[in-house]
Each structure stands twice: as structure tokens, then as C-alpha cells.
């Protein structure tokens, strides 16, 4: 295992070691070879929004038979595999090497992972039976509807979607976009964030999260949004209108005014999952780069690419940056294991900023080494790059995390100032005493 020098391998469970070996073989020898078939089965016609490639269903069956299923749900959940966050992070890195297929094949893909964690952590027995069970079985998919086009969604208190109670129902009106998974024909349920108490003076108590079945009247999927031209069918990242959508009051998650509480519980571990998949994509990108620059049939100015100093330097920088971020992400995962997500906000934020930025740099170098092929459909690099760029927004933009990290660091200022003052006073006292001798 490439990460043995980063963590104490002896602290990892025998169960994890078995699953890791199986996952590595599954990703490298089943998922990656299936990428071309997946693309061919998807095609470029209108049916790609209505079908799920059969090769993916075959891979899901194999993953389940190997026990590579729902590994993201950790030790706090009876429904999960019982792995620590560090252990799952290492497996998530493997799935990142084949991001369009491997996570879903193992029922560990966003946004379902976060939504399943919401149901597992906060759902009522009825909610779990209706929604969590089929999600865990991989029979349906889901979407999380929070981001809105008319406000600055980096501050989620700005959301305008209105959730009004009328008798035994909530009535939802609002416009959402970039709702990943909403285009999937298997998407059966949305978790919708909106305001049930917009006049509450405590701004983080205005919002609630409600369960909305996807076939509820009043929901219109307007269009899939494109990322650098990719629409990511069949899942998509959709713009959705909710107009007078009615759901029973029992569809509230945890209670009115507790939406922020729920989403903070949802986002912490999920951010680490994204980060580790970033590392997997970066490792795959570096692998492709190494193969390309050592290809003896490709020579410039009498040399293979790997004999040029700039290429060697780029490879070295890739290796340094990937390993730096892996340390950072595993540190965050470890902190979540020790102190839960709330106690690891600084570490999570640092990893969330560093991982996508690192990935973009590695992929850029890999694409450059491939020449025009690097931005074509003949390698996965361009799609990786598009996905990586969105992660600088997803689950909170870089700027929000930087602000949070800075504020956490500033909490140490008083203690640090007192320490420095004491050091100066001691230095002056020692200097005065020495001067008298």
C-alpha cells in the first residue's frame, strides 16, 4: 500500500485491509477497463438521460458480491461497513482513479452518500424505511437541493426558497440549480433546503430541510447545467423549479429551524470523500503522464519527453504536491475520527481547499505533456479537469473555508501574544542580570 509511510499500518483493521485489496483490484481491473464501454453505452443521443449503462449495473453486482458496498458509512452507523474515516479515505482514493464509475459501482457516490448519512443520522424510522433502505440497496438515487441562482449561495443563509406550513402539509416554492443527480432517471427523492421562519432573528434558525419525492406535482427540471461543455448525463447538475409543491409535515428532517444543523452534519465527512477522490484522480493523471513521456515513439528535438528537464521538474512537482495533500487529508480524516466533524473544521477546510487546487495543477501538467490529446476525448484528463474545477465551489467555496480557517487561527492570538510577551520579559530580565555581572 502506497500510504504505509503516512499512517501506522498496524492500526488499520483486518477488515479494512481485506476490503482495500479487493477495492484496488476492482477499480484497476474492472472499473477502469469498463470506461470505454460505459461511454459507448451512454452514447450522445437523447436516450442518455433515460438509461443507465448495463456495464455499470454489472459492476455494481460484482462490487456487492465482494463486500465493496456502502463503505462510506462509518462506525457510528449500524447500516455501514464499520470503517474509520481514515480507512474509508484510503478506499475513496482508489475510487477517485475512476470517478465516473467506481464510486457509484460501490454505492459510494455523491450526492447519495451525504443524503444517506442524513437519513441514517437524523431520519425517523419511517423515513429510513421509505428512503434510506432503497438508497442503501442501490435501487434509487437522490439529490440535495440547496444552491440557488438568484443569491450568493456561498452564504447559505441567503437562500430564498420558501417552505410554508399549511395544515398538515408544507408548501414549497423556489428555484434551485446545480442540483447534482436530479437528471438521473433513478432519482426518486430530493432533500430541499428552504426557509420555514424567514423572520427569525437568529439567521441560522430560519432554514429547514424537507424530504420531497421526485414525482411530487409542481417540480420542473428545467435544464442540465454544463461544466466546460460536459453535462454529466445521466446524473446531470440541474436547474429545478418548485412551484406550490406539497409534502406532508412528517417529511421534515429533525424539525423546523434545524436545517443548518443537519447540513453541517452532512457535509463534514463528505468533504473528505471528495478530497481523497481528488488524490486518486491526481494519481491516475500522473500515471498517464508517466506513460506518455516515456513513450519512445514520441520524440522532440531528438529526445523522448522524459529527457527534457521541464518534464522531469513537472513530474517531481506532481509527486510532491500529491503527497503533501494526502498527508493533509488523512490528518483531517484522523481528526474526524477523534473529534467528529465539528471538532475538525479547520483540518477539513484546509484539505478541502488544498485537494482540488492540487488536482488542477497535476492535471494541467499531465494535459500539457499529452499535447492536444490532453484536452480531447481520447483521455479522461479533460473530464477530470472539469470535475476538479467544480470542487472549488462544491461544499463551500475556497474563500469561505479560508475565512473559517483564519478565524480559527485567530482564536490563538491572545494566548500567542501572552506567550511572546512573557518570552520578551524573560529575555529582558536575563539580559539585565547578565549586564550586572
Amino acid at each position: 500500500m502506497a500510504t504505509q509511510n503516512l499512517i501506522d499500518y498496524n492500526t488499520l483493521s483486518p477488515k479494512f485491509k481485506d476490503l482495500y485489496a479487493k477495492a484496488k483490484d476492482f477499480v484497476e481491473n474492472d472499473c477502469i477497463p469498463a470506461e470505454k464501454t460505459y461511454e459507448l453505452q451512454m452514447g450522445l443521443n437523447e436516450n442518455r438521460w433515460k438509461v443507465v449503462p448495463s456495464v455499470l449495473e454489472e459492476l455494481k453486482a460484482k462490487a456487492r458480491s465482494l463486500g465493496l458496498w456502502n463503505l462510506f458509512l462509518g462506525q457510528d452507523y449500524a447500516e455501514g461497513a464499520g470503517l474509520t474515516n481514515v480507512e474509508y479515505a484510503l478506499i475513496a482514493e482508489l475510487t477517485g482513479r475512476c470517478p465516473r464509475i467506481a464510486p457509484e459501482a460501490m454505492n459510494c457516490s455523491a450526492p447519495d452518500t451525504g443524503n444517506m448519512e442524513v437519513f441514517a443520522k437524523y431520519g425517523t424510522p419511517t423515513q429510513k424505511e421509505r428512503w434510506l433502505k432503497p438508497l442503501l440497496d442501490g435501487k434509487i438515487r437522490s439529490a440535495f437541493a440547496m444552491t440557488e441562482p438568484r443569491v450568493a449561495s456561498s452564504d447559505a443563509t441567503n437562500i430564498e426558497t420558501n417552505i410554508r406550513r399549511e395544515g398538515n402539509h408544507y408548501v414549497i416554492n423556489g428555484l434551485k440549480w446545480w442540483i447534482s443527480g436530479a437528471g438521473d432517471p433513478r432519482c426518486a427523492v430530493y432533500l430541499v433546503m428552504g426557509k420555514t421562519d424567514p423572520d427569525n432573528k437568529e439567521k441560522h434558525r430560519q432554514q429547514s430541510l424537507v424530504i420531497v419525492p421526485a414525482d411530487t406535482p409542481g417540480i420542473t427540471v428545467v435544464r442540465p447545467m454544463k461544466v466546460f461543455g460536459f453535462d454529466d448525463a445521466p446524473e446531470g447538475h440541474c436547474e429545478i423549479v418548485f412551484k406550490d409543491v406539497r409534502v406532508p409535515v412528517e417529511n421534515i428532517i429533525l424539525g423546523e429551524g434545524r436545517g443548518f444543523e443537519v447540513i453541517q452534519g452532512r457535509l463534514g465527512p463528505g468533504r473528505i470523500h471528495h478530497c481523497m477522490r481528488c488524490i486518486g484522480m491526481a494519481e491516475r493523471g500522473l500515471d498517464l503522464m508517466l506513460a506518455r513521456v516515456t513513450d519512445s515513439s514520441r520524440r522532440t528535438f531528438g529526445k523522448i519527453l522524459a529527457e527534457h528537464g521541464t518534464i522531469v521538474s513537472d513530474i517531481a512537482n506532481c509527486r510532491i504536491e500529491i503527497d503533501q495533500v494526502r498527508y493533509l487529508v488523512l490528518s483531517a480524516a484522523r481528526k474526524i475520527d477523534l473529534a467528529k466533524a465539528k471538532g475538525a473544521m479547520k483540518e477539513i477546510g484546509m484539505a478541502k481547499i488544498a485537494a482540488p487546487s492540487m488536482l488542477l495543477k497535476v492535471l494541467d501538467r499531465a494535459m500539457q505533456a499529452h499535447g492536444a490529446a490532453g484536452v480531447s476525448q481520447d483521455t479522461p484528463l479533460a473530464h477530470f479537469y472539469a470535475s476538479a474545477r467544480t470542487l472549488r465551489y462544491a461544499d463551500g467555496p475556497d474563500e469561505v473555508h479560508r475565512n473559517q480557517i483564519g478565524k480559527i487561527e485567530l482564536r490563538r492570538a491572545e494566548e500567542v501574544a501572552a506567550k511572546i510577551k512573557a518570552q520578551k520579559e524573560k529575555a529582558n530580565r536575563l539580559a539585565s542580570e547578565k549586564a550586572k555581572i
Side-chain angles (χ1 to χ4, degrees):
M1 186 186 302
T3 54
Q4 285 187 38
N5 60 325
L6 304 183
I7 54 178
D8 183 356
Y9 188 67
N10 294 320
T11 65
L12 301 174
S13 66
K15 180 177 184 178
F16 160 77
K17 294 172 186 176
D18 177 61
L19 290 172
Y20 184 92
K22 289 179 179 177
K24 185 174 183 179
D25 180 70
F26 178 68
V27 172
E28 295 297 322
N29 297 315
D30 291 293
C31 295
I32 291 176
E35 287 176 331
K36 187 173 183 178
T37 301
Y38 179 93
E39 294 298 334
L40 289 171
Q41 290 182 351
M42 282 296 302
L44 294 175
N45 56 57
E46 62 183 16
N47 287 331
R48 65 204 176 96
W49 291 100
K50 302 175 182 178
V51 301
V52 179
S54 60
V55 67
L56 180 57
E57 293 305 310
E58 293 165 7
L59 288 169
K60 288 169 71 174
K62 181 167 185 177
R64 194 161 192 172
S65 71
L66 292 170
L68 300 174
W69 196 255
N70 294 329
L71 303 182
F72 69 95
L73 273 177
Q75 295 176 324
D76 293 337
Y77 303 101
E79 301 90 348
L83 301 178
T84 66
N85 280 285
V86 168
E87 290 172 335
Y88 177 65
L90 295 170
I91 292 176
E93 177 183 338
L94 296 176
T95 66
R97 293 179 63 86
C98 186
R100 291 207 72 188
I101 296 177
E104 185 178 348
M106 295 164 62
N107 213 38
C108 291
S109 58
D112 292 335
T113 49
N115 293 339
M116 283 189 269
E117 189 156 5
V118 167
F119 284 120
K121 188 171 185 178
Y122 303 110
T124 65
T126 300
Q127 292 168 352
K128 289 182 178 181
E129 180 65 25
R130 183 173 180 186
W131 302 115
L132 178 59
K133 186 175 179 179
L135 281 168
L136 289 169
D137 286 342
K139 293 179 179 178
I140 64 172
R141 297 209 64 187
S142 62
F144 186 77
M146 185 169 74
T147 304
E148 299 182 358
R150 294 172 179 162
V151 298
S153 291
S154 57
D155 179 356
T157 63
N158 289 329
I159 62 173
E160 295 178 333
T161 294
N162 181 263
I163 302 175
R164 183 182 73 257
R165 181 163 181 169
E166 287 187 1
N168 292 324
H169 287 81
Y170 287 112
V171 181
I172 305 164
N173 284 279
L175 176 63
K176 301 286 188 181
W177 74 341
W178 293 106
I179 309 307
S180 298
D184 196 304
R186 298 161 296 171
C187 183
V189 61
Y190 302 120
L191 292 181
V192 181
M193 184 85 159
K195 290 187 177 179
T196 48
D197 187 7
D199 298 321
N200 194 314
K201 293 181 180 179
E202 189 177 345
K203 64 180 182 179
H204 290 93
R205 297 286 294 179
Q206 297 175 353
Q207 301 80 12
S208 299
L209 196 67
V210 293
I211 303 166
V212 181
D215 59 358
T216 306
I219 300 174
T220 302
V221 177
V222 178
R223 56 174 177 161
M225 307 300 298
K226 293 184 178 181
V227 181
F228 294 148
F230 295 102
D231 59 21
D232 290 329
E235 298 90 352
H237 314 283
C238 299
E239 182 175 347
I240 306 175
V241 173
F242 295 87
K243 183 174 176 58
D244 296 327
V245 175
R246 301 177 69 89
V247 297
V249 293
E250 56 264 29
N251 281 26
I252 195 88
I253 295 284
L254 203 58
E256 288 190 15
R258 302 185 73 177
F260 259 88
E261 180 182 347
V262 175
I263 65 170
Q264 287 305 313
R266 177 186 188 275
L267 289 175
R271 287 171 175 144
I272 298 302
H273 303 169
H274 278 315
C275 292
M276 290 307 292
R277 285 191 291 265
C278 282
I279 295 169
M281 279 190 276
E283 289 283 11
R284 177 99 181 272
L286 179 55
D287 284 356
L288 291 169
M289 182 179 181
L290 292 172
R292 178 78 172 194
V293 302
T294 55
D295 183 348
S296 61
S297 68
R298 297 186 176 278
R299 292 179 174 271
T300 59
F301 307 104
K303 300 178 180 179
I304 63 171
L305 296 177
E307 292 174 333
H308 290 283
T310 55
I311 294 291
V312 174
S313 178
D314 282 348
I315 291 170
N317 285 332
C318 288
R319 181 76 277 146
I320 292 166
E321 291 161 5
I322 292 171
D323 284 356
Q324 283 175 330
V325 172
R326 184 183 284 110
Y327 272 103
L328 194 59
V329 177
L330 288 175
S331 174
R334 177 64 173 160
K335 190 64 179 289
I336 296 173
D337 283 331
L338 295 173
K340 306 299 182 185
K342 191 172 182 179
M345 296 308 293
K346 182 177 73 172
E347 290 79 7
I348 291 171
M350 290 192 294
K352 178 60 176 62
I353 291 170
S357 295
M358 172 277 294
L359 175 55
L360 287 168
K361 288 187 283 188
V362 170
L363 292 174
D364 186 73
R365 296 181 190 118
M367 288 189 292
Q368 194 71 9
H370 278 76
V375 294
S376 77
Q377 69 271 41
D378 289 348
T379 79
L381 295 171
H383 202 167
F384 283 7
Y385 191 93
S387 299
R389 188 59 185 85
T390 67
L391 290 178
R392 290 190 59 203
Y393 307 119
D395 295 345
D398 291 357
E399 293 79 6
V400 170
H401 290 294
R402 281 197 177 91
N403 188 55
Q404 182 182 59
I405 293 164
K407 287 181 177 178
I408 292 173
E409 280 296 286
L410 282 168
R411 294 173 191 167
R412 302 191 303 114
E414 185 176 345
E415 178 185 349
V416 168
K419 181 180 69 174
I420 292 172
K421 181 181 178 181
Q423 289 170 339
K424 287 182 177 179
E425 289 174 349
K426 185 173 182 178
N428 291 335
R429 186 169 61 254
L430 289 173
S432 177
E433 291 173 356
K434 291 293 184 182
K436 293 177 181 177
I437 296 174

PDB file of all heavy atoms in Angstrom, residues 338-359:
ATOM      1  N   LEU A 338     -11.326  11.282  15.774  1.00  0.00           N
ATOM      2  CA  LEU A 338     -11.073  11.601  17.182  1.00  0.00           C
ATOM      3  C   LEU A 338     -12.061  12.598  17.762  1.00  0.00           C
ATOM      4  O   LEU A 338     -12.432  12.494  18.934  1.00  0.00           O
ATOM      5  CB  LEU A 338      -9.653  12.162  17.336  1.00  0.00           C
ATOM      6  CG  LEU A 338      -8.500  11.192  17.022  1.00  0.00           C
ATOM      7  CD1 LEU A 338      -7.173  11.928  17.055  1.00  0.00           C
ATOM      8  CD2 LEU A 338      -8.493  10.034  18.009  1.00  0.00           C
ATOM      9  N   ALA A 339     -12.470  13.580  16.944  1.00  0.00           N
ATOM     10  CA  ALA A 339     -13.253  14.697  17.490  1.00  0.00           C
ATOM     11  C   ALA A 339     -14.545  14.972  16.738  1.00  0.00           C
ATOM     12  O   ALA A 339     -15.172  16.013  16.966  1.00  0.00           O
ATOM     13  CB  ALA A 339     -12.386  15.963  17.503  1.00  0.00           C
ATOM     14  N   LYS A 340     -14.969  14.081  15.840  1.00  0.00           N
ATOM     15  CA  LYS A 340     -16.132  14.272  14.985  1.00  0.00           C
ATOM     16  C   LYS A 340     -15.891  15.457  14.041  1.00  0.00           C
ATOM     17  O   LYS A 340     -14.925  16.205  14.183  1.00  0.00           O
ATOM     18  CB  LYS A 340     -17.410  14.479  15.807  1.00  0.00           C
ATOM     19  CG  LYS A 340     -17.679  13.388  16.829  1.00  0.00           C
ATOM     20  CD  LYS A 340     -17.858  12.032  16.189  1.00  0.00           C
ATOM     21  CE  LYS A 340     -18.186  10.958  17.215  1.00  0.00           C
ATOM     22  NZ  LYS A 340     -18.242   9.610  16.618  1.00  0.00           N
ATOM     23  N   ALA A 341     -16.802  15.628  13.097  1.00  0.00           N
ATOM     24  CA  ALA A 341     -16.609  16.665  12.078  1.00  0.00           C
ATOM     25  C   ALA A 341     -16.559  18.064  12.686  1.00  0.00           C
ATOM     26  O   ALA A 341     -15.785  18.921  12.260  1.00  0.00           O
ATOM     27  CB  ALA A 341     -17.721  16.579  11.041  1.00  0.00           C
ATOM     28  N   LYS A 342     -17.380  18.306  13.707  1.00  0.00           N
ATOM     29  CA  LYS A 342     -17.417  19.637  14.320  1.00  0.00           C
ATOM     30  C   LYS A 342     -16.084  20.007  14.948  1.00  0.00           C
ATOM     31  O   LYS A 342     -15.697  21.180  14.967  1.00  0.00           O
ATOM     32  CB  LYS A 342     -18.527  19.698  15.365  1.00  0.00           C
ATOM     33  CG  LYS A 342     -18.826  21.103  15.874  1.00  0.00           C
ATOM     34  CD  LYS A 342     -20.050  21.123  16.761  1.00  0.00           C
ATOM     35  CE  LYS A 342     -20.379  22.540  17.220  1.00  0.00           C
ATOM     36  NZ  LYS A 342     -21.588  22.573  18.079  1.00  0.00           N
ATOM     37  N   GLY A 343     -15.357  19.031  15.448  1.00  0.00           N
ATOM     38  CA  GLY A 343     -14.068  19.308  16.066  1.00  0.00           C
ATOM     39  C   GLY A 343     -12.914  19.300  15.088  1.00  0.00           C
ATOM     40  O   GLY A 343     -11.760  19.477  15.487  1.00  0.00           O
ATOM     41  N   ALA A 344     -13.229  19.098  13.806  1.00  0.00           N
ATOM     42  CA  ALA A 344     -12.173  19.019  12.792  1.00  0.00           C
ATOM     43  C   ALA A 344     -12.386  20.030  11.676  1.00  0.00           C
ATOM     44  O   ALA A 344     -11.885  19.852  10.567  1.00  0.00           O
ATOM     45  CB  ALA A 344     -12.142  17.607  12.199  1.00  0.00           C
ATOM     46  N   MET A 345     -13.107  21.121  11.971  1.00  0.00           N
ATOM     47  CA  MET A 345     -13.458  22.066  10.919  1.00  0.00           C
ATOM     48  C   MET A 345     -12.230  22.703  10.270  1.00  0.00           C
ATOM     49  O   MET A 345     -12.197  22.908   9.055  1.00  0.00           O
ATOM     50  CB  MET A 345     -14.375  23.157  11.480  1.00  0.00           C
ATOM     51  CG  MET A 345     -15.728  22.647  11.959  1.00  0.00           C
ATOM     52  SD  MET A 345     -16.606  21.647  10.742  1.00  0.00           S
ATOM     53  CE  MET A 345     -16.965  22.864   9.491  1.00  0.00           C
ATOM     54  N   LYS A 346     -11.209  23.016  11.048  1.00  0.00           N
ATOM     55  CA  LYS A 346     -10.003  23.623  10.472  1.00  0.00           C
ATOM     56  C   LYS A 346      -9.327  22.636   9.522  1.00  0.00           C
ATOM     57  O   LYS A 346      -8.967  22.988   8.387  1.00  0.00           O
ATOM     58  CB  LYS A 346      -9.037  24.046  11.571  1.00  0.00           C
ATOM     59  CG  LYS A 346      -7.767  24.731  11.029  1.00  0.00           C
ATOM     60  CD  LYS A 346      -6.848  25.199  12.144  1.00  0.00           C
ATOM     61  CE  LYS A 346      -6.133  24.044  12.819  1.00  0.00           C
ATOM     62  NZ  LYS A 346      -5.094  24.502  13.776  1.00  0.00           N
ATOM     63  N   GLU A 347      -9.156  21.406   9.974  1.00  0.00           N
ATOM     64  CA  GLU A 347      -8.478  20.403   9.160  1.00  0.00           C
ATOM     65  C   GLU A 347      -9.280  20.073   7.898  1.00  0.00           C
ATOM     66  O   GLU A 347      -8.705  19.899   6.810  1.00  0.00           O
ATOM     67  CB  GLU A 347      -8.242  19.137   9.978  1.00  0.00           C
ATOM     68  CG  GLU A 347      -7.206  19.292  11.083  1.00  0.00           C
ATOM     69  CD  GLU A 347      -7.729  19.994  12.336  1.00  0.00           C
ATOM     70  OE1 GLU A 347      -8.957  20.256  12.421  1.00  0.00           O
ATOM     71  OE2 GLU A 347      -6.919  20.275  13.222  1.00  0.00           O
ATOM     72  N   ILE A 348     -10.607  19.984   8.042  1.00  0.00           N
ATOM     73  CA  ILE A 348     -11.458  19.723   6.882  1.00  0.00           C
ATOM     74  C   ILE A 348     -11.348  20.867   5.880  1.00  0.00           C
ATOM     75  O   ILE A 348     -11.204  20.651   4.668  1.00  0.00           O
ATOM     76  CB  ILE A 348     -12.928  19.538   7.317  1.00  0.00           C
ATOM     77  CG1 ILE A 348     -13.096  18.235   8.106  1.00  0.00           C
ATOM     78  CG2 ILE A 348     -13.858  19.542   6.104  1.00  0.00           C
ATOM     79  CD1 ILE A 348     -14.454  18.082   8.767  1.00  0.00           C
ATOM     80  N   GLY A 349     -11.398  22.100   6.375  1.00  0.00           N
ATOM     81  CA  GLY A 349     -11.301  23.257   5.496  1.00  0.00           C
ATOM     82  C   GLY A 349      -9.985  23.317   4.747  1.00  0.00           C
ATOM     83  O   GLY A 349      -9.942  23.606   3.544  1.00  0.00           O
ATOM     84  N   MET A 350      -8.885  23.021   5.431  1.00  0.00           N
ATOM     85  CA  MET A 350      -7.578  23.049   4.772  1.00  0.00           C
ATOM     86  C   MET A 350      -7.511  21.994   3.676  1.00  0.00           C
ATOM     87  O   MET A 350      -7.017  22.252   2.574  1.00  0.00           O
ATOM     88  CB  MET A 350      -6.470  22.827   5.805  1.00  0.00           C
ATOM     89  CG  MET A 350      -6.276  23.992   6.760  1.00  0.00           C
ATOM     90  SD  MET A 350      -4.769  23.872   7.751  1.00  0.00           S
ATOM     91  CE  MET A 350      -5.128  22.436   8.760  1.00  0.00           C
ATOM     92  N   ALA A 351      -8.013  20.795   3.976  1.00  0.00           N
ATOM     93  CA  ALA A 351      -7.995  19.735   2.974  1.00  0.00           C
ATOM     94  C   ALA A 351      -8.880  20.089   1.789  1.00  0.00           C
ATOM     95  O   ALA A 351      -8.515  19.857   0.625  1.00  0.00           O
ATOM     96  CB  ALA A 351      -8.454  18.423   3.608  1.00  0.00           C
ATOM     97  N   LYS A 352     -10.043  20.667   2.086  1.00  0.00           N
ATOM     98  CA  LYS A 352     -10.999  21.000   1.020  1.00  0.00           C
ATOM     99  C   LYS A 352     -10.444  22.055   0.075  1.00  0.00           C
ATOM    100  O   LYS A 352     -10.727  22.049  -1.129  1.00  0.00           O
ATOM    101  CB  LYS A 352     -12.308  21.486   1.649  1.00  0.00           C
ATOM    102  CG  LYS A 352     -13.377  21.902   0.658  1.00  0.00           C
ATOM    103  CD  LYS A 352     -13.773  20.773  -0.272  1.00  0.00           C
ATOM    104  CE  LYS A 352     -14.907  21.205  -1.189  1.00  0.00           C
ATOM    105  NZ  LYS A 352     -14.549  22.334  -2.066  1.00  0.00           N
ATOM    106  N   ILE A 353      -9.646  22.989   0.576  1.00  0.00           N
ATOM    107  CA  ILE A 353      -9.010  23.986  -0.285  1.00  0.00           C
ATOM    108  C   ILE A 353      -7.869  23.354  -1.075  1.00  0.00           C
ATOM    109  O   ILE A 353      -7.729  23.563  -2.286  1.00  0.00           O
ATOM    110  CB  ILE A 353      -8.463  25.156   0.555  1.00  0.00           C
ATOM    111  CG1 ILE A 353      -9.611  25.974   1.147  1.00  0.00           C
ATOM    112  CG2 ILE A 353      -7.573  26.072  -0.292  1.00  0.00           C
ATOM    113  CD1 ILE A 353      -9.164  26.991   2.176  1.00  0.00           C
ATOM    114  N   ALA A 354      -7.046  22.587  -0.401  1.00  0.00           N
ATOM    115  CA  ALA A 354      -5.804  22.111  -0.997  1.00  0.00           C
ATOM    116  C   ALA A 354      -6.024  21.042  -2.067  1.00  0.00           C
ATOM    117  O   ALA A 354      -5.334  21.035  -3.091  1.00  0.00           O
ATOM    118  CB  ALA A 354      -4.884  21.569   0.095  1.00  0.00           C
ATOM    119  N   ALA A 355      -6.968  20.124  -1.843  1.00  0.00           N
ATOM    120  CA  ALA A 355      -7.084  18.965  -2.733  1.00  0.00           C
ATOM    121  C   ALA A 355      -7.495  19.333  -4.166  1.00  0.00           C
ATOM    122  O   ALA A 355      -6.820  18.925  -5.117  1.00  0.00           O
ATOM    123  CB  ALA A 355      -8.031  17.932  -2.135  1.00  0.00           C
ATOM    124  N   PRO A 356      -8.588  20.080  -4.369  1.00  0.00           N
ATOM    125  CA  PRO A 356      -8.937  20.410  -5.759  1.00  0.00           C
ATOM    126  C   PRO A 356      -7.884  21.266  -6.448  1.00  0.00           C
ATOM    127  O   PRO A 356      -7.621  21.090  -7.646  1.00  0.00           O
ATOM    128  CB  PRO A 356     -10.263  21.174  -5.618  1.00  0.00           C
ATOM    129  CG  PRO A 356     -10.819  20.752  -4.299  1.00  0.00           C
ATOM    130  CD  PRO A 356      -9.626  20.550  -3.426  1.00  0.00           C
ATOM    131  N   SER A 357      -7.274  22.191  -5.720  1.00  0.00           N
ATOM    132  CA  SER A 357      -6.247  23.048  -6.320  1.00  0.00           C
ATOM    133  C   SER A 357      -5.030  22.226  -6.751  1.00  0.00           C
ATOM    134  O   SER A 357      -4.466  22.437  -7.825  1.00  0.00           O
ATOM    135  CB  SER A 357      -5.824  24.137  -5.332  1.00  0.00           C
ATOM    136  OG  SER A 357      -6.909  25.010  -5.068  1.00  0.00           O
ATOM    137  N   MET A 358      -4.640  21.278  -5.906  1.00  0.00           N
ATOM    138  CA  MET A 358      -3.549  20.382  -6.268  1.00  0.00           C
ATOM    139  C   MET A 358      -3.908  19.585  -7.511  1.00  0.00           C
ATOM    140  O   MET A 358      -3.112  19.453  -8.456  1.00  0.00           O
ATOM    141  CB  MET A 358      -3.246  19.433  -5.102  1.00  0.00           C
ATOM    142  CG  MET A 358      -2.253  18.317  -5.402  1.00  0.00           C
ATOM    143  SD  MET A 358      -2.988  16.853  -6.218  1.00  0.00           S
ATOM    144  CE  MET A 358      -4.068  16.224  -4.937  1.00  0.00           C
ATOM    145  N   LEU A 359      -5.118  19.045  -7.528  1.00  0.00           N
ATOM    146  CA  LEU A 359      -5.542  18.213  -8.647  1.00  0.00           C
ATOM    147  C   LEU A 359      -5.512  18.996  -9.954  1.00  0.00           C
ATOM    148  O   LEU A 359      -5.068  18.479 -10.987  1.00  0.00           O
ATOM    149  CB  LEU A 359      -6.950  17.671  -8.372  1.00  0.00           C
ATOM    150  CG  LEU A 359      -7.611  16.867  -9.490  1.00  0.00           C
ATOM    151  CD1 LEU A 359      -6.746  15.706  -9.923  1.00  0.00           C
ATOM    152  CD2 LEU A 359      -8.989  16.384  -9.037  1.00  0.00           C
TER     153      LEU A 359
END
